[in-house]
Amino acid sequence: MAGNSQRRNRRTSNKKGATVGSGGQRRRGLEGKGPTPPASMRKGHKKNRLANAQAKQAARRPAPRRGGPKGPNELVVGRNSVVEALREGVPAKTLYVQQYLDNDERVREALQLATDKGLNLMEAPRPELDRMTNGLNHQGLVLSVPPYDYAHPEDLTAAAFDDGEDPLIVALDGITDPRNLGAVVRSVSAFGGHGVVVPERRAAGMTASAWKTSAGTAARTPVARATNMTRMLEAYQKEGLMVVGLAADGDVELHELDALEGPVVIVVGSEGKGLSRLVGETCDFRVRIPMPGGAESLNAGVAAGVVLYEAARRRA
């Protein structure tokens, strides 16, 4: 009986009883909770609500779209043209060189530039190069340039809004000279614009000539292609952009136009015909550039550069 009592007492004495106290809660309550999170992560804060709204908007926005099916590769032919294209960084893929070609200074420079840029070098007999160029005077050098990868017009505004900037875009209506397109791309890049829009048909595209005139800025300034220019401008208006058309008989002079300070698309027509009727009717403003010297009109690239400079000055 005594043994049973000792075993019971031994068993009960080993049990852990309840601990009287705060259970460590008071000590934990005195510990720091770490650095204060930024405002954009604090629930209920204005910046947090704004960040959530921007995330939802980005999720709803469609992925960037490109400007339709690609055409065939463009060929740059002739020694001078090939060397100039390679100097200006035209995005070529392959340089074709005629077999047994006389190795003059231009040929050596073309080969060196192509090698430095990692282009494919292909040797071909003269009859093959004649066939490729439809009998053009290629002088033994042919540069193959893949089709330009056009953006979609919505890509330009989306990129601007994502960066927290007001879009500054130039749309070309009826410009058929690729050198004018290249000059506009260069001006857009110089004055902080977000891209250029061209019609899909009956208009200049981003050829090797346009790329050369852009002096390499086409590598960082997107060019979009619109199936219907009028509908594209109306879509921009729904996004909050003002559509400003350049016209010699415009109602507003350039220095009077406050719309350049906000989201805007500048529409430039051809030097001879100006804006087409439907495009002109879609514009919110028709603006003229004062020309005290008496000239009737400006080259499209020059006109775009003047307006882009004024927009950049106001935004600064």
Side-chain angles (χ1 to χ4, degrees):
M1 188 70 178
N4 291 339
S5 176
Q6 290 177 357
R7 284 195 298 272
R8 185 165 55 249
N9 292 338
R10 188 165 52 246
R11 252 192 334 264
T12 55
S13 63
N14 288 338
K15 288 183 179 180
K16 185 176 180 180
T19 302
V20 178
S22 65
Q25 294 179 8
R26 187 174 304 161
R27 184 179 64 255
R28 289 194 296 269
L30 296 175
E31 294 176 354
K33 297 182 179 181
T36 302
S40 60
M41 296 180 63
R42 297 204 295 271
K43 188 175 181 180
H45 195 281
K46 179 181 177 180
K47 290 188 176 181
N48 176 257
R49 294 196 300 271
L50 179 60
N52 291 337
Q54 290 175 341
K56 290 179 180 179
Q57 184 179 4
R60 288 195 300 268
R61 183 179 297 135
R65 295 177 288 177
R66 294 298 170 183
K70 293 180 172 58
N73 286 8
E74 181 186 1
L75 298 179
V76 179
V77 302
R79 299 184 184 185
N80 286 336
S81 297
V82 167
V83 170
E84 289 174 5
L86 291 172
R87 284 175 181 169
E88 295 297 340
V90 172
K93 291 295 182 183
T94 304
L95 176 63
Y96 294 90
V97 184
Q98 179 182 315
Q99 290 178 339
Y100 314 115
L101 185 64
D102 294 336
N103 193 7
D104 66 5
E105 183 179 351
R106 291 169 300 173
V107 173
R108 288 193 295 271
E109 183 176 0
L111 291 173
Q112 186 62 54
L113 288 170
T115 301
D116 293 343
K117 296 176 183 298
L119 272 61
N120 298 320
L121 295 176
M122 301 290 292
E123 192 175 33
R126 176 161 187 164
E128 176 63 17
L129 297 184
D130 291 341
R131 184 194 64 78
M132 288 174 57
T133 61
N134 291 323
L136 294 176
N137 184 21
H138 51 73
Q139 299 175 308
L141 291 181
V142 178
L143 189 66
S144 178
V145 182
Y148 181 79
D149 190 15
Y150 291 94
H152 189 277
E154 291 179 1
D155 297 347
L156 310 186
T157 51
F161 287 134
D162 286 347
D163 290 339
E165 300 175 353
D166 287 331
L168 176 59
I169 297 168
V170 174
L172 301 182
D173 180 33
I175 303 297
T176 56
D177 188 341
R179 291 170 297 181
N180 274 337
L181 171 57
V184 171
V185 170
R186 188 173 183 176
S187 294
V188 169
S189 176
F191 295 113
H194 297 97
V196 180
V197 182
V198 297
E200 190 172 321
R201 299 179 181 85
R202 296 185 295 276
M206 279 304 298
T207 63
S209 176
W211 190 284
K212 284 192 295 182
T213 310
S214 78
T217 58
R220 57 181 181 272
T221 303
V223 177
R225 196 161 50 177
T227 305
N228 185 294
M229 182 64 74
T230 303
R231 286 203 295 266
M232 184 274 298
L233 293 175
E234 291 172 345
Y236 277 159
Q237 287 172 328
K238 291 179 181 177
E239 289 192 78
L241 278 69
M242 301 299 292
V243 178
V244 174
L246 302 189
D249 59 349
D251 303 322
V252 183
E253 288 197 354
L254 179 60
H255 66 275
E256 301 171 341
L257 187 64
D258 294 333
L260 294 176
E261 299 173 14
V264 65
V265 51
I266 301 163
V267 189
V268 183
S270 63
E271 186 174 349
K273 299 179 180 179
L275 300 174
S276 62
R277 182 181 61 85
L278 289 177
V279 168
E281 292 174 354
T282 307
C283 293
D284 297 300
F285 298 98
R286 288 167 56 87
V287 180
R288 66 181 181 274
I289 300 174
M291 289 180 284
E296 294 183 1
S297 63
L298 293 174
N299 171 276
V302 174
V306 170
V307 181
L308 284 166
Y309 167 76
E310 177 65 14
R313 185 187 68 81
R314 288 170 173 261
R315 290 165 180 240

